[in-house]
């Protein structure tokens, strides 16, 4: 998803929400928190999991840890992690872009 498509989506669906960008890296929760001037717990990380033939997205606080026993209880199978994205929790967006509602 390009930043242009994110801007277009919010312009159409939620024009009161502003998309902001940072030139700083958001590759880790710590870097994302520094880039946006917030505590790591305010960063949302998105985990993409393949569970059998399903793909599940889990959005969690940046400081949260995944509990394998709880994941297996919730989804009933072993899972494989894919790439994750992180950004401030308003809501989670891919890359160094975030969304803020004023």
């Amino acid at each position: 998803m390009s930043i242009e498509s994110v801007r277009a989506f919010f312009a159409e669906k939620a024009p009161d929400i502003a998309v902001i960008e940072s030139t700083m890296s958001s590759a880790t929760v710590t870097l994302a928190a520094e880039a946006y001037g917030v505590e790591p717990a305010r960063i949302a990380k998105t985990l993409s999991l393949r569970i059998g033939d399903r793909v599940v997205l889990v959005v969690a606080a940046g400081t949260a840890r995944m509990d394998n026993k709880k994941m297996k209880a919730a989804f009933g199978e072993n899972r494989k992690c894919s790439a994750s994205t992180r950004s401030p929790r308003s809501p989670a967006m891919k890359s160094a872009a975030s969304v803020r509602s004023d």
Side-chain angles (χ1 to χ4, degrees), residues 22-79:
S22 174
T23 57
M24 297 174 64
S25 173
S26 62
T28 67
V29 169
T30 301
L31 289 174
E34 289 173 9
Y36 293 102
V38 298
E39 298 173 17
R42 301 267 310 144
I43 298 297
K45 60 184 172 185
T46 306
L47 304 170
S48 174
L49 309 173
R50 180 171 301 280
I51 302 170
D53 61 349
R54 298 178 296 166
V55 175
V56 177
L57 293 179
V58 177
V59 180
T63 55
R65 299 284 181 223
M66 189 163 36
D67 184 317
N68 288 325
K69 288 181 184 179
K70 289 180 182 177
M71 292 295 293
K72 190 169 184 177
F75 297 107
E77 299 182 38
N78 288 329
R79 46 101 185 132

